[in-house]
C-alpha cells in the first residue's frame, strides 16, 4: 500500500510554525491582515474564500473581503486596489481571477503591490520565482506541492521530476521552484509525445492537467511518488483529481489524494505569505 500524503498533516505542521510567528507579530503590536478582492460572486471563488478565511482566522490573521459588482469599471477597480495597497492593516492581498472580460488583467497585475501580492499576480513576483529569488511570493498551489514534498521527507535534489501541465498558475512556476531545489524537471503538456513513457520514467510525477483521472496505471512505475494537483468532477459529479487513484495507488510508493491533498495546503501557503509580509514590514525577515 502506498503512503498516503494527506494535506491535513502538512496543514497541521505548518499551523504549529505559523502560530509562533503570529505570536511574535502580536508581541510587536501587529495583527497580520489579509484582503480578499473579489469581483462578482462565482461559487468556486466563494468556496475558496470561505476556506481561506477559516484557515487564516484560525491562525489569528484578520481577513477582510472587498467585494465589487461585475459591472465595476477597470478604473474604479484600480482605484480600489490602490486603497487596499495603502492600508497599513493589510499585509497580503488575494485577487480572484479570472476578472470579468472588460477588465484587463495585464493592467491589474501591475496595480497590486508586489510586496502584498500573496498569490504571485504581480510580474515582480513572477520574475523572482523564475530567478529563484526567494524573497518573491510564489503562487500558492505550486508552493503547496513543495510544502507537501518537504513535509513527507521527499528530497527532490537530483531526482527526475515530471510535471504534467505548463500553466502559469501551476506547472511553470512549480517547475522553477523544484529546479531551485535541484530537481531535474521535465514539463509535459498537450503536445508532448510519448507522455505515458515520460511520466513512467519519473521518480516523482506531478499531475496538473485538469483532466479527470487521466493518469492511469500505464503512466506510473514502482517506487514513484505521485502528487495530484487536479481538481475536477468525475462522471458522477464527485470531486476527483487528475490521477485515477484506485488504479494508481496500488502501484506506487506515495500518493496524494483528491480531495484532502494539495488543495487543502494551498490556503495554508496563503496564510504563510501574509505572515511573511507582516514580518517583513517589521524587518524580521526579507
Ligand atoms: P490549465 O488548464 O490552465 O492548464 C492545464 C495544463 O495541462 C496545460 O498546460 C495543458 O497543456 C496541460 N494538459 C491538459 N491536458 C493534457 C493532456 N491530456 N496531456 C498533457 N497535458 C495536458 O489548468 P491549471 O490552472 O494549471 O490547473 C490544473 C489543474 O489543477 C486543474 O484541475 C485545476 O482545477 C487544479 N488546480 C488546483 C489548485 C489547488 O488549489 N489545488 C489550484 C489551481 C489549479
Amino acid at each position: 500500500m502506498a503512503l498516503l500524503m494527506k494535506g491535513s498533516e502538512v496543514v497541521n505542521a505548518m499551523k504549529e510554525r505559523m502560530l509562533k510567528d503570529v505570536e511574535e507579530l502580536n508581541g510587536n503590536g501587529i495583527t497580520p491582515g489579509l484582503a480578499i478582492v473579489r469581483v462578482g460572486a462565482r461559487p468556486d471563488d466563494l468556496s475558496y474564500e470561505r476556506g481561506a478565511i477559516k484557515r487564516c482566522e484560525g491562525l489569528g490573521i484578520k481577513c477582510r473581503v472587498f467585494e465589487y459588482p461585475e459591472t465595476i469599471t477597470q478604473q474604479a477597480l484600480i482605484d480600489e486596489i490602490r486603497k487596499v495597497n495603502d492600508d497599513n492593516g493589510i499585509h497580503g492581498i488575494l485577487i480572484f481571477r479570472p476578472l470579468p472580460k472588460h477588465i484587463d488583467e495585464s493592467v491589474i497585475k501591475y496595480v497590486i503591490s508586489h510586496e502584498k501580492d500573496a498569490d504571485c499576480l504581480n510580474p515582480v513576483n513572477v520574475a523572482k520565482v523564475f530567478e529563484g529569488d526567494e524573497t518573491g511570493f510564489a503562487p500558492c498551489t505550486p508552493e503547496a506541492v513543495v510544502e507537501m514534498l518537504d513535509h513527507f521527507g521527499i528530497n527532490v535534489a537530483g531526482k527526475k521530476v515530471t510535471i504534467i501541465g505548463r500553466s502559469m498558475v501551476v506547472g511553470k512556476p512549480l517547475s522553477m521552484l523544484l529546479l531551485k531545489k535541484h530537481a531535474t524537471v521535465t514539463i509535459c503538456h498537450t503536445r508532448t509525445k510519448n507522455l505515458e513513457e515520460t511520466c513512467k520514467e519519473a521518480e516523482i510525477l506531478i499531475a496538473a492537467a485538469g483532466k479527470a483521472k487521466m493518469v492511469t496505471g500505464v503512466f506510473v512505475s514502482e517506487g514513484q511518488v505521485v502528487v495530484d494537483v487536479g481538481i475536477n468532477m468525475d462522471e458522477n459529479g464527485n470531486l476527483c483529481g487528475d490521477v485515477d487513484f484506485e488504479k494508481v495507488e496500488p502501484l506506487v510508493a506515495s500518493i496524494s489524494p483528491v480531495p484532502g491533498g494539495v488543495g487543502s495546503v494551498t490556503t495554508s501557503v496563503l496564510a504563510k505569505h501574509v505572515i511573511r509580509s507582516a514580518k517583513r514590514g517589521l524587518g524580521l525577515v526579507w
Side-chain angles (χ1 to χ4, degrees):
M1 230 176 80
L3 167 78
L4 192 63
M5 297 188 289
K6 283 192 195 162
S8 57
E9 285 187 33
V10 188
V11 166
N12 290 338
M14 289 179 74
K15 184 173 181 177
E16 296 268 307
R17 296 194 291 270
M18 288 194 279
L19 283 172
K20 287 199 187 93
D21 286 335
V22 173
E23 207 179 291
E24 187 183 11
L25 283 166
N26 292 162
N28 283 282
I30 300 288
T31 302
L34 167 69
I36 296 176
V37 173
R38 173 164 50 75
V39 180
R42 276 191 306 264
D44 283 0
D45 291 351
L46 292 173
S47 155
Y48 189 82
E49 183 178 295
R50 280 192 295 275
I53 291 174
K54 195 169 163 211
R55 180 81 79 235
C56 287
E57 292 194 340
L59 291 160
I61 296 171
K62 191 172 175 222
C63 299
R64 283 163 65 191
V65 178
F66 295 82
E67 179 181 0
Y68 306 105
E70 288 208 32
T71 50
I72 190 170
T73 63
Q74 177 161 307
Q75 190 54 51
L77 183 63
I78 290 172
D79 294 342
E80 290 298 317
I81 295 171
R82 288 200 173 124
K83 278 189 228 159
V84 179
N85 282 343
D86 292 342
D87 188 324
N88 290 335
I90 289 166
H91 305 93
I93 304 171
L94 171 72
I95 301 181
F96 279 115
R97 290 171 278 166
L99 291 162
K101 287 206 165 51
H102 66 280
I103 295 176
D104 189 350
E105 196 176 299
S106 66
V107 173
I108 300 298
K109 69 186 183 185
Y110 287 98
V111 178
I112 183 173
S113 152
H114 68 86
E115 288 170 339
K116 297 187 178 184
D117 173 28
D119 197 24
C120 197
L121 175 59
N122 189 300
V124 170
N125 284 314
V126 177
K128 285 184 173 188
V129 170
F130 278 71
E131 280 175 10
D133 176 346
E134 288 175 2
T135 64
F137 289 117
C140 296
T141 301
E143 193 172 324
V145 173
V146 173
E147 287 282 354
M148 176 168 273
L149 292 171
D150 282 350
H151 177 83
F152 288 99
I154 297 156
N155 181 4
V156 302
K159 299 252 174 70
K160 282 190 264 180
V161 180
T162 294
I163 302 169
I164 313 176
R166 59 172 162 182
S167 76
M168 280 302 289
V169 180
V170 190
K172 268 192 212 169
L174 177 57
S175 68
M176 291 298 132
L177 297 180
L178 295 172
L179 194 58
K180 169 86 182 167
K181 291 170 90 68
H182 314 293
T184 301
V185 184
T186 302
I187 307 176
C188 297
H189 46 80
T190 43
R191 307 270 183 99
T192 298
K193 291 181 181 146
N194 304 323
L195 180 66
E196 293 169 12
E197 271 313 303
T198 308
C199 292
K200 225 180 166 101
E201 283 165 11
E203 294 167 277
I204 301 169
L205 175 62
I206 303 171
K211 294 281 176 298
K213 300 184 185 179
M214 70 165 275
V215 175
T216 56
V218 291
F219 284 68
V220 300
S221 54
E222 205 184 319
Q224 225 174 30
V225 173
V226 177
V227 180
D228 192 352
V229 183
I231 300 179
N232 316 294
M233 289 294 176
D234 69 11
E235 58 283 1
N236 303 316
N238 295 320
L239 206 62
C240 75
D242 288 353
V243 177
D244 188 334
F245 189 88
E246 304 302 325
K247 293 197 180 115
V248 168
E249 187 272 341
L251 305 174
V252 298
S254 316
I255 187 165
S256 71
V258 178
V262 173
S264 53
V265 182
T266 307
T267 49
S268 294
V269 174
L270 177 68
K272 182 179 145 189
H273 289 176
V274 177
I275 292 167
R276 179 146 65 92
S277 170
K279 286 182 78 172
R280 194 184 278 165
L282 288 176
L284 297 173
V285 290
W286 290 104

